[in-house]
Amino acid sequence: EPRSPCCCLAWTLVIGTMNSLVLLLNLLLMFVIFTIVLLPTIVVVYFGFQCHSQVLHSSARYCRSILDDNSSSALIILGFVILSPLLVVAMATYCSLARRLQLLGCLQPYSLALYKGGCPGQGAPCWPRGCQSPLRVWV
């Protein structure tokens, strides 16, 4: 049966908060995975830019003794060349982990706030396992 307007608004806020938390969890997981996988690229490009005389030209010992402008340019180019394959690896890792953890299955439709007892026509609770929707997130 349909909920009252106040109850519907309260459940809409609860579902919106839960969906926002799931979104934040997904973004945090994506940030951690991309940071770990892209760390070699970040380090190589950072040292390349730090030691190049036309960019930052650090006075660190390794910049003066090991890296000149040519080797710094090579580091910058190497960093951007290995960026593409590492982006693919990072995205594949995130997608695999999100699929295994079924993170996107935790998102709830706002139509659950309109009816008491879960999905319309069912006596299921308002939880992902209770409602069997015809729309699947992962094929």
Side-chain angles (χ1 to χ4, degrees):
E1 81 186 62
R3 296 183 193 273
S4 67
C6 288
C7 188
C8 183
L9 178 64
W11 275 104
T12 301
L13 292 175
V14 168
I15 290 172
T17 303
M18 189 173 84
N19 286 345
S20 298
L21 289 174
V22 169
L23 178 68
L24 283 174
L25 179 67
N26 275 308
L27 290 176
L28 179 68
L29 180 68
M30 186 182 296
F31 176 76
V32 167
I33 289 173
F34 273 71
T35 302
I36 290 171
V37 173
L38 295 178
L39 191 61
T41 298
I42 295 168
V43 169
V44 167
V45 171
Y46 171 75
F47 281 116
F49 278 126
Q50 184 182 15
C51 295
H52 199 281
S53 66
Q54 298 296 321
V55 185
L56 294 177
H57 194 58
S58 174
S59 60
R61 193 182 101 240
Y62 56 84
C63 287
R64 287 178 286 155
S65 62
I66 299 173
L67 297 174
D68 59 355
D69 281 348
N70 291 334
S71 58
S72 296
S73 297
L75 282 178
I76 294 169
I77 292 170
L78 175 69
F80 285 114
V81 166
I82 64 173
L83 178 67
S84 296
L86 289 180
L87 277 174
V88 172
V89 169
M91 186 53 82
T93 304
Y94 167 73
C95 288
S96 171
L97 194 58
R99 183 176 182 175
R100 183 172 297 141
L101 296 176
Q102 297 180 355
L103 292 178
L104 296 178
C106 296
L107 293 173
Q108 294 295 313
Y110 286 105
S111 62
L112 291 179
L114 300 176
Y115 298 95
K116 292 181 182 176
C119 295
Q122 297 178 359
C126 290
W127 191 249
R129 293 181 187 99
C131 299
Q132 300 298 327
S133 67
L135 178 65
R136 292 180 49 151
V137 177
W138 298 102
V139 179

